[in-house]
Amino acid sequence: MKRACTIASYCSIRGNKVILDDKLLYKGPEDHFSDFASGVYKHFSVSYPKFHKMDNLGKLGFLAAEILLKGRDIINKYPADKTGIMLMNSSSSLDTDRNHQRTISNSNDYFPSPAVFVYTLPNVVIGEICIRHKFYGEGNFFIMEKFNPSFMVNYISQLFDNDIVDCCITGWVEIDGDNFESVLFLIEKSSRTETGIANFEPATIESIYNRK
Amino acid sequence: MEQLVQKLKEEIITALNLSEMKPENIDEKAPLFVDGLGLDSIDALELTVLLEKKYGLKINTSEEGKKVLLSVNSMAEFIRENKKG
């Protein structure tokens, strides 16, 4: 059965800017992603010590989800097993894979770091967000050549149509060195009282993604 | 021993990315896991690597690991005993 869903909110983190629903919330002067991420963490008064242990992909996705969900009380609005996450990027966990490779490339100084190694999969960022916000439903990470709004809308719509989710975070979380871009959307089932910011359609998603 | 404990606290902060923590915030007698610093199993592996990388010491069994990684003091004691002679 077709179930209507809507874009409730979106958050983008790129070009050293944090934007929530078209409002610029933070602009950082930092040259490196790690410094920028620390700046965002402090600016939004996030308190989550495990953040500092995450890899850069984890930090980027975590911060975008944190800002996207702030004050939304999703945990009480929907059953936990009806909240899902579907993310995409093009370089998977390559940023962290390279860090791991550095720790094993010298046979005379061979000390692979377990804390780095555990992040050598892109879907770990989904786990971090799920743990923080208690999203216990569908979770998937897809590697795509580029941002693909048609795939996103088709996939997420099926989750709603088949009554698998009532609420879903979806979007693009891409990082390679100091080049980073995260655009996350909060998709919720439509109600008569809440209409969201826009219809969940490929053209709308693409249009929001292109607002840089 | 006091110097070693201080050095170990600094090394633990760096190795585990405890960037909101200062050495003086770590109680050397407190448990490192669950209570105390609230470390997890990945942190335990990271501390095992730290002992090997910085001090050339290996933890050979999980039982030994539980005793050695109990607190900063127990780690320092393990280093002191095994670096002797």
Side-chain angles (χ1 to χ4, degrees):
Chain A
M1 189 185 80
K2 194 84 184 154
R3 292 169 81 216
C5 52
T6 183
I7 304 169
S9 181
Y10 88 92
C11 174
S12 69
I13 301 181
R14 55 189 168 187
N16 279 28
K17 289 187 282 190
V18 177
I19 293 172
L20 180 71
D21 299 334
D22 294 341
K23 290 189 196 93
L24 178 66
L25 300 186
Y26 178 79
K27 189 170 187 333
E30 302 87 354
D31 291 328
H32 301 292
F33 173 76
S34 55
D35 297 330
F36 172 74
S38 295
V40 174
Y41 180 88
K42 284 180 195 151
H43 179 81
F44 290 93
S45 305
V46 182
S47 178
Y48 194 67
K50 198 168 179 277
F51 171 81
H52 303 289
K53 297 183 183 187
M54 293 177 197
D55 71 339
N56 286 339
L57 182 67
K59 285 180 177 174
L60 181 59
F62 176 89
L63 287 171
E66 196 72 12
I67 295 157
L68 184 72
L69 298 178
K70 196 171 184 178
R72 290 201 160 259
D73 201 25
I74 295 294
I75 193 170
N76 291 315
K77 202 170 170 186
Y78 300 107
D81 61 356
K82 288 288 193 78
T83 51
I85 306 186
M86 189 279 267
L87 301 177
M88 300 182 273
N89 79 3
S90 67
S91 23
S92 184
S93 57
L94 195 60
D95 188 66
T96 298
D97 298 348
R98 287 200 190 97
N99 281 341
H100 173 62
Q101 191 185 27
R102 275 192 278 275
T103 70
I104 59 170
S105 55
N106 182 352
S107 58
N108 296 319
D109 185 28
Y110 187 88
F111 290 103
S113 161
V116 172
F117 179 71
V118 291
Y119 284 100
T120 55
L121 282 171
N123 53 324
V124 180
V125 61
I126 288 180
E128 298 290 8
I129 296 169
C130 288
I131 291 166
R132 170 66 161 169
H133 298 286
K134 300 189 168 44
F135 274 44
Y136 295 147
E138 176 91 357
N140 265 310
F141 200 110
F142 294 93
I143 313 300
M144 302 265 171
E145 202 173 330
K146 58 181 187 174
F147 182 65
N148 189 335
S150 299
F151 177 84
M152 174 198 282
V153 171
N154 186 29
Y155 188 91
I156 301 291
S157 297
Q158 285 187 46
L159 296 181
F160 277 93
D161 293 348
N162 290 294
D163 202 21
I164 292 168
V165 296
D166 288 340
C167 166
C168 188
I169 294 173
T170 185
W172 182 255
V173 186
E174 167 75 1
I175 188 158
D176 193 0
D178 290 320
N179 298 315
F180 58 92
E181 179 182 60
S182 176
V183 184
L184 295 193
F185 301 87
L186 178 66
I187 312 301
E188 293 185 66
K189 65 178 178 182
S190 300
S191 70
R192 285 176 189 156
T193 52
E194 297 172 70
T195 52
I197 60 168
N199 292 334
F200 185 49
E201 293 164 352
T204 320
I205 291 288
E206 185 148 30
S207 156
I208 292 173
Y209 175 77
N210 287 329
R211 289 176 202 167
K212 295 188 181 176
Chain B
M1 186 73 168
E2 206 176 301
Q3 262 185 328
L4 176 58
V5 166
Q6 178 66 18
K7 188 173 166 227
L8 207 42
K9 285 181 182 179
E10 288 164 10
E11 286 169 346
I12 289 171
I13 286 171
T14 305
L16 304 184
N17 287 322
L18 304 171
S19 56
E20 289 180 345
M21 192 72 79
K22 289 181 178 158
E24 55 268 32
N25 301 137
I26 300 177
D27 178 354
E28 57 269 27
K29 297 185 215 97
L32 287 168
F33 296 87
V34 188
D35 301 323
L37 288 184
L39 305 184
D40 59 24
S41 56
I42 300 298
D43 296 321
L45 291 170
E46 205 64 51
L47 292 179
T48 307
V49 172
L50 185 153
L51 287 171
E52 194 175 341
K53 192 174 177 178
K54 302 273 183 186
Y55 300 94
L57 298 174
K58 277 192 177 180
I59 292 175
N60 295 309
T61 64
S62 60
E63 283 308 308
E64 187 181 32
K66 279 180 195 168
K67 286 178 193 162
V68 173
L69 302 179
L70 193 65
S71 65
V72 176
N73 269 354
S74 64
M75 286 179 73
E77 189 62 29
F78 175 72
I79 294 165
R80 194 180 62 84
E81 280 177 6
N82 290 280
K83 289 292 267 188
K84 265 197 292 190

